[in-house]
Amino acid sequence: MLRFSPIAAAVVVCVAGFSSAIALAQDRRLPVSPTELKLSYAPIVQRVQPAVVNVYAAKTVQNRNPLLDDPIFRRFFGGGGPQPEQMQRSLGSGVMVDPSGLVVTNNHVIEGADQVKVSLSDKREFEAEIVLKDSRTDLAVLRLKDTKEKFPTLDFANSDELLVGDVVLAIGNPFGVGQTVTHGIISALARTQVGITDYQFFIQTDAAINPGNSGGALVDMTGKLVGINTAIFSRSGGSQGIGFAIPANMVRVVVASAKSGGKAVKRPWLGARLQAVTPEIAETLGLKLPNGALVANVAAGSPAARAGLKLSDLIVAIDGQTVDDPNAFDYRFATRPLGGGAQVDVQRGGKTLKLTIPLETAPDTGRDEIVIKSRSPFQGAKVANISPAVAEELRLDANTEGVVVTDLADDATAASVGFQKGDVIVAVNNQKIAKTSDLEKATRESARLWRIIVVRGGQQINVTLGG
């Protein structure tokens, strides 16, 4: 299953300075003879293809009667007994990134799967376990079961060195026809309006990518992995020459977390909220161009606060790399290794300052995550207190108060009445909800009507539900 993105992107190419771009461009050249025009990609494909796999995921779902979602129907006619089950299957691709059998693919390929299988280029199939899922990047890492052999792998390229016009190959299993290779060029870099993941910083390519290519490899002419193919823009369902890949430098971070045994990706925590610079803001600040990331909020005690970052500071670079917007900063910061510090260039009061932000993870104390089991509109919802780590994970303001929904079972009452992951529960039946124990206590009390205040996407919603 390949994600579709209804956009017409237009984003500035992000490279580390004009002079470095010229230096990299000098390494490329045009064919100079008819002989060179007969050159083939076959040697690269033969070396790379064994490390690209097919991923098959399956999950069992119930064929639920939609009338059962109506509480009045259930009250008078009951649950109707066990519902027939159906197997849903999805198809994608993956890349072997460790010889022990570690495979990286897209999270949306295996999301909710009860069973995952990996098929190699030599037709062998292996059961696989899900080692790590990261919805923020739409990446997942699998491990092949019951095997001790060494598998061929792909090395990571430095995706920050890519230039528009570089030739790339896309390898995957489109439409389930079998492993397929297509070629094209890098069409654009730093695409930030794709709307697929939290980290909007995609490689765009015109190499043909179709449903089934999700999780497959985008490789350069040295056979190194430059990105994981993840989405296409399409009006027809097929390739129209606009595909998007997650840069290898982001993939590297997720794979490193999986190799270290983590169940979640460990990333640096900034502790500040950034906003884009509009033309109006640029005019107010006296800027020639609406570039950079404007600091809109700084959490007390966070790395940003300790580094001296202040409200209305304008971040224009990180470790020497230009920052055009908040998405660019988020990507650059998230791909920095933990430990040490990142140097940011900040414009403040007409002067440029250099601040060093410590690279450390967000504290996760006091999460107190629970599943609401009592009969109520919240039944089946997993909720947590809003620790800095939870706020970072769900993209909430660090000062948000309340209890947040972190997960929902598909068949949960909470999901059927419309609650979503990331919803912040502020009050229930006029009782303020400050921590998970408050919500658990409130849901133990039976009620004919449930009056609930929810904050979703920064907007307060007042909800009344029947008991």
Side-chain angles (χ1 to χ4, degrees):
M1 179 178 65
L2 194 66
R3 291 194 171 178
F4 299 87
S5 182
I7 57 100
V11 181
V12 178
V13 174
C14 181
V15 293
F18 183 68
S19 59
S20 60
I22 293 176
L24 287 170
Q26 289 174 344
D27 294 333
R28 279 79 171 175
R29 63 185 180 86
L30 294 170
V32 295
S33 68
T35 302
E36 288 193 353
L37 289 174
K38 296 179 182 178
L39 295 176
S40 171
Y41 298 127
I44 300 170
V45 173
Q46 290 170 2
R47 185 167 72 252
V48 168
Q49 212 165 20
V52 182
V53 302
N54 299 333
V55 178
Y56 302 92
K59 67 177 178 179
T60 304
V61 296
Q62 288 187 339
N63 285 332
R64 185 176 177 81
N65 187 331
L67 289 174
L68 294 176
D69 292 332
D70 187 333
I72 296 177
F73 184 93
R74 289 201 306 269
R75 180 174 296 175
F76 285 97
F77 298 98
Q83 302 300 307
E85 293 183 341
Q86 180 183 10
M87 187 68 76
Q88 287 186 352
R89 304 180 188 276
S90 64
L91 168 69
S93 305
V95 179
M96 198 77 71
V97 290
D98 188 85
S100 65
L102 215 58
V103 173
V104 65
T105 185
N106 281 138
N107 183 56
H108 72 259
V109 170
I110 55 87
E111 183 65 27
D114 302 317
Q115 183 183 43
V116 179
K117 287 187 177 181
V118 170
S119 174
L120 307 187
S121 60
D122 61 11
K123 309 299 183 183
R124 288 184 297 161
E125 284 193 356
F126 294 88
E127 296 281 344
E129 61 177 334
I130 300 172
V131 177
L132 183 151
K133 296 191 297 181
D134 186 49
S135 60
R136 298 188 65 184
T137 57
D138 192 24
L139 291 171
V141 180
L142 316 174
R143 187 183 299 279
L144 304 190
K145 294 181 179 179
D146 304 322
T147 179
K148 295 181 180 179
E149 66 180 278
K150 298 295 183 182
F151 296 95
T153 64
L154 292 188
D155 294 329
F156 290 106
N158 182 355
S159 52
D160 286 343
E161 293 181 352
L162 291 173
L163 294 176
V164 174
D166 283 350
V167 177
V168 287
L169 304 178
I171 307 176
N173 185 8
F175 299 110
V177 300
Q179 198 172 89
T180 301
V181 181
T182 56
H183 90 285
I185 62 169
I186 300 294
S187 305
L189 295 167
R191 287 301 197 202
T192 60
Q193 303 298 316
V194 182
I196 305 167
T197 68
D198 285 354
Y199 294 103
Q200 298 289 310
F201 204 82
F202 291 91
I203 300 166
Q204 183 181 326
T205 179
D206 67 346
I209 296 173
N210 289 288
N213 272 107
S214 278
L218 191 69
V219 301
D220 63 15
M221 292 299 96
T222 67
K224 290 185 177 180
L225 183 71
V226 299
I228 294 294
N229 299 320
T230 243
I232 59 175
F233 170 73
S234 177
R235 299 186 188 279
S236 64
S239 174
Q240 292 185 302
I242 303 177
F244 300 99
I246 301 168
N249 287 359
M250 179 61 81
V251 181
R252 193 198 311 265
V253 171
V254 175
V255 171
S257 290
K259 286 183 176 181
S260 68
K263 294 296 182 183
V265 179
K266 294 181 179 180
R267 300 184 178 90
W269 172 47
L270 177 63
R273 183 164 52 87
L274 308 177
Q275 71 178 72
V277 179
T278 64
E280 293 77 17
I281 292 175
E283 184 177 355
T284 302
L285 297 176
L287 302 175
K288 293 181 179 179
L289 297 172
N291 292 339
L294 192 65
V295 177
N297 176 271
V298 179
S302 66
R306 300 201 310 272
L309 203 63
K310 297 183 182 299
L311 186 68
S312 298
D313 280 351
L314 182 68
I315 300 175
V316 294
I318 175 170
D319 288 339
Q321 293 176 305
T322 302
V323 169
D324 289 324
D325 54 35
N327 289 312
F329 179 86
D330 286 347
Y331 169 80
R332 299 289 184 200
F333 193 70
T335 53
R336 293 297 183 269
L338 291 167
Q343 187 178 80
V344 296
D345 292 359
V346 172
Q347 290 184 3
R348 179 191 300 168
K351 298 180 180 179
T352 300
L353 308 175
K354 293 187 179 295
L355 305 177
T356 301
I357 300 176
L359 297 169
E360 57 190 48
T361 57
D364 199 20
T365 54
R367 177 189 284 253
D368 195 21
E369 199 167 36
I370 61 172
V371 176
I372 302 298
K373 298 180 179 179
S374 53
R375 183 181 174 85
S376 72
F378 301 97
Q379 189 174 32
K382 182 180 287 187
V383 296
N385 297 329
I386 304 176
S387 66
V390 172
E392 180 79 1
E393 176 186 332
L394 297 177
R395 312 292 282 177
L396 302 174
D397 193 301
N399 298 320
T400 303
E401 294 183 353
V403 168
V404 66
V405 177
T406 58
D407 200 11
L408 291 160
D410 291 339
D411 57 351
T413 301
S416 67
V417 300
F419 285 110
Q420 299 177 10
K421 183 177 178 179
D423 283 350
V424 178
I425 313 302
V426 177
V428 174
N429 290 338
N430 298 320
Q431 299 178 42
K432 182 180 178 181
I433 304 299
K435 49 186 184 294
T436 55
S437 57
D438 294 339
L439 182 59
E440 189 174 37
K441 180 181 177 181
T443 56
R444 289 200 199 106
E445 302 172 7
S446 60
R448 295 183 61 185
L449 287 177
W450 293 84
R451 295 180 176 86
I452 304 164
I453 300 177
V454 179
V455 174
R456 176 182 296 170
Q459 300 295 317
Q460 181 173 302
I461 305 171
N462 295 309
V463 181
T464 301
L465 298 170

